[in-house]
Amino acid sequence: MKILVYGAGAIGGYLGAILTSAGEDVTLVARGSQYTALAEHGLILEGPKRGVQAPVKVKVCQPGEEHAPYDLIFVTLKSHQINAAAAHLKTLIAKNGTFVFPQNGIPWWYFDGIDSPYRGTSLKTLDPVGFLAKTFDPAMIIGGTALKPANLIAPGRISLPDAPTDALILGELNHQVSTRLERIAAITSRAGWPGVISTDIRRVKWVKLLSNAVWNNLGAITQSTAREAAEYPGSRVLAVAMAKEVIALAGAVGVILTEDAHVLVDQAAMRASLPTSTLQDVRAGRSLEVDALTNALIEIGTLTGVALPALTTVGACVNLLNQRIIHDRVAIRTIAIA
């Protein structure tokens, strides 16, 4: 199977490195300093259990240099980066090929392929003009959720902290177990990242959203880790309220979450104090994954009539922060060009 990992950040880089080490025919797509580091030196994985390993010499190219077609494409971009790459991605897939989308948050295809009062509803927050829906046939998509803390600490260098969960959860949009699903899960499992098949990938995404929607947002606006936000009394109360809203919203679209908001916050207070991916983006001056983690939830709240006062308030702050980051980045580029 000819495999492409499109986006060689922390998760994509890790996936590409272990697939390479397992002998798979895999190419990573990277750009800028990450491309240079991978092309010249390879990719270093490090962590408490593995120490610092020798670089994995990976096959890497820049966007537009791929040797298509590919049978399997892992799209490991952030959710808000997919739209800009969609048309190009469509040219890279083989006939009867498969895309795996393991992004955090609500995906644009959420209401496709299932029986629901909202079946076929387009989430404008994620796909404003229906471009993604037109570009990607739902039959070519496998949904995913990455349970793997990974930090890109420098170009070509990924830190893998210890964590109680370590899996790539995969699921068909229609919740069936297919041959291709079993094959892809087997490929990542052989490489060392357990591929777990889900018959309800949407529920899996809501469970992770219980963490992402709370801690990524609070962390972004307070410059705090989940542990710090869970320990501080004021933000702890807000976190509980946000988690309760996510649970209620999931229930409104037919996903029953049995998790307790207070227990979730207690658990966060006992975690290692690590920055979320959104906080890392804030500190690096990168645009934020606010649509899939926050704005889509608010849109679904409007659709279903579920009130989300805490999420809406925190979301307004994160959206303003994202606006400032984008404005400042444009200003810096303008000054540099001048």
Side-chain angles (χ1 to χ4, degrees), residues 229-254:
E231 288 177 334
Y232 185 72
S235 53
R236 177 187 176 82
V237 171
L238 186 54
V240 169
M242 294 169 71
K244 287 182 176 179
E245 291 177 4
V246 174
I247 292 169
L249 189 60
V253 292

Side-chain angles (χ1 to χ4, degrees), residues 25-257:
D25 180 7
V26 57
T27 300
L28 285 78
V29 176
R31 63 178 72 227
S33 59
Q34 181 72 342
Y35 167 77
T36 301
L38 298 188
E40 294 182 355
H41 309 296
L43 204 152
I44 297 172
L45 304 178
E46 60 183 75
K49 292 181 179 179
R50 65 177 69 222
V52 179
Q53 296 184 332
V56 178
K57 190 61 178 176
V58 296
K59 185 163 45 174
V60 63
C61 69
Q62 299 182 84
E65 298 176 348
E66 306 91 348
H67 295 287
Y70 294 90
D71 304 300
L72 174 60
I73 300 180
F74 290 94
V75 182
T76 47
L77 302 170
K78 293 288 183 68
S79 59
H80 59 287
Q81 298 169 329
I82 295 174
N83 212 304
H88 179 56
L89 283 166
K90 184 66 180 294
T91 68
L92 303 178
I93 197 73
K95 184 179 180 181
N96 300 320
T98 302
F99 290 103
V100 176
F101 288 95
Q103 284 72 29
N104 288 330
I106 297 293
W108 81 91
W109 47 259
Y110 186 88
F111 292 114
D112 289 333
I114 53 169
D115 289 330
S116 164
Y118 307 104
R119 181 168 185 156
T121 298
S122 175
L123 294 171
K124 302 302 182 185
T125 302
L126 304 170
D127 193 12
V129 297
F131 178 65
L132 295 178
K134 294 174 184 175
T135 303
F136 298 108
D137 182 348
M140 302 176 72
I141 296 174
I142 283 180
T145 296
L147 303 181
K148 184 75 180 181
N151 298 328
L152 183 64
I153 56 177
R157 198 177 191 105
I158 295 173
S159 173
L160 302 165
D162 286 343
T165 55
D166 184 6
L168 176 60
I169 305 182
L170 302 163
E172 293 279 3
L173 271 57
N174 62 7
H175 295 169
Q176 301 300 307
V177 176
S178 63
T179 300
R180 69 172 181 176
L181 188 60
E182 293 175 329
R183 187 179 182 189
I184 295 168
I187 288 172
T188 67
S189 295
R190 285 196 301 269
W193 194 9
V196 176
I197 293 173
S198 172
T199 55
D200 191 349
I201 192 63
R202 290 167 178 80
R203 187 184 191 284
V204 173
K205 286 189 168 293
W206 279 107
V207 171
K208 193 172 184 187
L209 261 171
L210 275 171
S211 176
N212 292 146
V214 175
W215 308 120
N216 288 51
N217 284 320
L218 285 177
I221 60 177
T222 64
Q223 292 286 294
S224 303
T225 65
R227 179 172 182 168
E228 291 164 343
E231 288 177 334
Y232 185 72
S235 53
R236 177 187 176 82
V237 171
L238 186 54
V240 169
M242 294 169 71
K244 287 182 176 179
E245 291 177 4
V246 174
I247 292 169
L249 189 60
V253 292
V255 177
I256 305 303
L257 300 179

Side-chain angles (χ1 to χ4, degrees), residues 223 277-288 325 329:
Q223 292 286 294
S277 59
T278 305
L279 179 52
Q280 293 176 55
D281 286 342
V282 172
R283 291 174 173 173
R286 296 187 291 258
S287 57
L288 309 181
I325 289 171
R329 190 173 60 198

